[in-house]
Amino acid sequence: MSPLKAVIFGAIGTIAETSDLQRQSFNAAFADAGLDWHWSPMQYQSLLQTNGGQERMREFRDADPARHSISNATIERLHHAKTQHYVQLLEASDALEPRPGVAALIGLCLTNNIKLAWCTSTSLDNVGSIQRALAGKLPLDRFDTVVTIDKISRVKPAPDAYVYALAQLGLKAHEVVAIEDTPVSIAAAKAAGIFCIATPGATTGGQDFSQADCVLTDLTGLDPNRIGQLLTDSQLPVAAES
């Protein structure tokens, strides 16, 4: 029998490609506040190595003394404005699709009574906007637990989000697999002792995924039996696929 009892999707990017919408939303919030901050696609790709929107903004601020006058309270307000822009962009577009293989894997997990979780470092508002944007395409309302930033003290790469998810699921680390799309998020899963499959996204493909136990271009053809076999074999690292 497969040892797999749950699949935990990590960041939003493991489910749908939204990074550029996020970047546009940050830039809109900066413009609204009269700041001359503007993140290019390449710059945002680099900033994605830090998890959490507020943490990214603080890192960007701290990198240049000219920005040090921006307070943490201002950053909180900027992040709230960014979230509002992001929700509006998602609601204005009906083109958002799940990443390849995601819908099939979720369906197979539900059919085989394998629990599902979503383990993010983002806000509940952002998660809700994705759920609405993918309504009718993914049964995200059937996930057993969803971890958002308000549930944890430390964002990834700290393991807090995964520790919380395991507690909510009532499972041990060796009974689940995590799916992540950035090295920093993979580090969080591994720190919690969880087998991690990496699926690099459009903006993270050039990063170092050597910490992952398995690297896949996408989730096409991945099913619970195959994941369970990976867990049973415990071969580290599992050969990467292309």
Side-chain angles (χ1 to χ4, degrees), residues 43-190:
Q43 191 172 30
Y44 190 60
Q45 182 172 348
S46 176
L47 287 165
L48 284 173
Q49 296 180 50
T50 298
N51 243 47
Q54 292 188 45
E55 287 72 16
R56 271 176 225 130
M57 284 189 280
R58 282 194 284 268
E59 179 179 289
F60 183 73
R61 174 198 63 190
D62 295 346
D64 186 342
R67 307 184 193 118
H68 287 182
S69 62
I70 303 300
S71 68
N72 286 339
T74 296
I75 283 178
E76 285 186 28
R77 290 192 292 272
L78 286 168
H79 192 260
H80 178 74
K82 172 261 174 184
T83 298
Q84 298 306 307
H85 281 290
Y86 179 60
V87 169
Q88 291 169 9
L89 284 173
L90 281 173
E91 291 178 349
S93 172
D94 59 0
L96 189 68
E97 294 289 338
R99 288 188 62 183
V102 169
L105 177 57
I106 290 174
L108 286 168
C109 287
L110 291 171
T111 299
N112 289 278
N113 296 314
I114 292 171
K115 293 182 177 181
L116 290 161
W118 197 357
C119 191
T120 78
S121 292
T122 193
S123 67
L124 184 60
D125 285 344
N126 276 352
V127 167
S129 66
I130 293 292
Q131 289 174 323
R132 290 189 295 275
L134 293 174
K137 299 176 182 178
L138 287 181
L140 298 176
D141 58 324
R142 296 184 64 185
F143 275 41
D144 294 273
T145 190
V146 176
V147 183
T148 54
I149 195 169
D150 60 299
K151 303 290 187 183
I152 56 176
S153 299
R154 300 176 299 169
V155 298
K156 302 170 185 176
D160 299 33
Y162 278 103
V163 171
Y164 183 88
L166 289 172
Q168 292 295 299
L169 294 168
L171 297 174
K172 303 295 185 183
H174 68 272
E175 298 175 314
V176 310
V177 67
I179 297 172
E180 283 289 7
D181 68 336
T182 66
V184 69
S185 295
I186 291 165
K190 297 305 297 177

Side-chain angles (χ1 to χ4, degrees), residues 211-222:
Q211 285 192 74
D213 298 304
C214 181
V215 182
L216 303 174
T217 302
D218 57 50
L219 302 182
T220 301
L222 189 65

